[in-house]
Amino acid sequence: MYQTFLNLEVEKQHKIINSALKEFSINNYDTASTNKIIKDAKISKGILYHYFGSKKNLYLYLYEYVTTIFIDAINSRLDLEEPDIFKRYEQIMKIKLELIKQYHTLFDFLKKTYIETSLEVRSELDQYNLTLQNSSYESVFAGIDYNLFHKNIDSKKAINTIRWVTDGISDRYEEQLKSNVDNSEAFNQLLEQCMEEANDYFQFLKQLVYKNTKR
């Protein structure tokens, strides 16, 4: 979508994207203001509408853009040869949190889209989500060794529990990480602290759901 957007210098692209992410993550679609995006990005209204044409086009572009960024990062960096679901989630968490350094409110925006009710964009969001679920999302967990689980464990419930723990820990660190995106040392220390905490919980969960915890 909107290939001509690539004609803009990279710094200006990121400025527009981050300004739009910020506005749409604070407000729902109907109340979000393109004027605030323009002001924050320090561009003219003409530039914004030249490349996107409308608020709806900007919103849908933004959604497709950030989901593609996330999926591409997962596909390029996730070790799909790793059969351990805990190690897969550890990798996913690190990839996700590192993206905050470049796109500060990326995941705030995505969370907002999940509960967006505007009829102007809801059907397009649902259609795109269905496409993702039928392709990239499923491949992320291909090759997981379910034989590692205790035979009396419901693997689907176990995986949901691991995901909820992962999301809960990363959510707690997101705000701190966003506050330190310009301080690489502090950001990396927080990221390391988050991963250590996640690993502690994973070791605890492994004792509950795995036959052998030495992996």
Side-chain angles (χ1 to χ4, degrees):
M1 292 176 70
Y2 316 111
Q3 292 298 319
T4 52
F5 184 52
L6 299 177
N7 293 337
L8 281 175
E9 57 189 80
V10 173
E11 185 178 352
K12 187 164 285 187
Q13 288 181 44
H14 285 164
K15 202 155 190 128
I16 294 171
I17 289 167
N18 275 320
S19 296
L21 282 173
K22 179 181 176 182
E23 179 63 16
F24 284 121
S25 67
I26 294 172
N27 300 289
N28 58 34
Y29 173 78
D30 290 329
T31 59
S33 168
T34 54
N35 288 331
K36 288 183 180 178
I37 295 170
I38 290 164
K39 182 178 180 181
D40 190 55
K42 295 181 173 59
I43 58 170
S44 68
K45 182 174 287 189
I47 288 178
L48 189 72
Y49 283 94
H50 170 72
Y51 287 108
F52 299 102
S54 68
K55 177 181 174 180
K56 178 180 179 179
N57 285 345
L58 171 61
Y59 183 86
L60 294 177
Y61 169 83
L62 198 65
Y63 183 70
E64 183 174 345
Y65 181 88
V66 297
T67 51
T68 300
I69 288 288
F70 185 41
I71 294 300
D72 285 351
I74 292 292
N75 288 338
S76 64
R77 295 175 55 189
L78 190 66
D79 180 9
L80 295 178
E81 298 298 317
E82 175 54 65
D84 187 333
I85 186 66
F86 288 98
K87 291 182 180 178
R88 287 270 187 103
Y89 264 114
E90 184 178 354
Q91 293 173 40
I92 292 170
M93 176 187 277
K94 189 170 185 180
I95 292 167
K96 173 183 174 182
L97 294 178
E98 285 178 342
L99 281 173
I100 292 174
K101 202 165 194 176
Q102 186 172 10
Y103 301 102
H104 314 333
T105 53
L106 188 156
F107 295 102
D108 290 334
F109 168 71
L110 285 179
K111 289 170 193 173
K112 200 79 171 178
T113 65
Y114 299 152
I115 57 173
E116 180 57 61
T117 59
S118 174
L119 297 178
E120 193 171 350
V121 295
R122 186 67 260 170
S123 62
E124 284 91 341
L125 292 176
D126 290 339
Q127 185 176 2
Y128 191 63
N129 276 332
L130 184 61
T131 302
L132 284 175
Q133 288 169 5
N134 291 334
S135 56
S136 300
Y137 287 164
E138 289 184 0
S139 67
V140 165
F141 298 107
I144 292 298
D145 187 356
Y146 294 99
N147 290 320
L148 295 171
F149 292 93
H150 285 299
K151 63 180 180 179
N152 61 334
I153 288 289
D154 184 325
S155 59
K156 185 175 181 180
K157 289 181 179 177
I159 290 173
N160 280 338
T161 302
I162 299 165
R163 176 169 60 84
W164 294 332
V165 168
T166 304
D167 288 346
I169 294 172
S170 59
D171 285 350
R172 284 200 296 105
Y173 278 89
E174 277 184 29
E175 287 302 319
Q176 296 179 69
L177 288 166
K178 282 188 290 185
S179 299
N180 288 278
V181 291
D182 296 321
N183 185 335
S184 293
E185 184 177 354
F187 186 95
N188 291 334
Q189 285 178 349
L190 281 166
L191 182 60
E192 185 177 346
Q193 184 179 331
C194 178
M195 299 310 300
E196 287 177 356
E197 183 174 335
N199 187 58
D200 286 343
Y201 276 94
F202 287 168
Q203 292 303 319
F204 171 74
L205 289 173
K206 278 185 181 183
Q207 296 179 50
L208 301 178
V209 302
Y210 270 9
K211 290 183 288 190
N212 187 337
T213 61
K214 293 182 179 179
R215 282 190 60 83

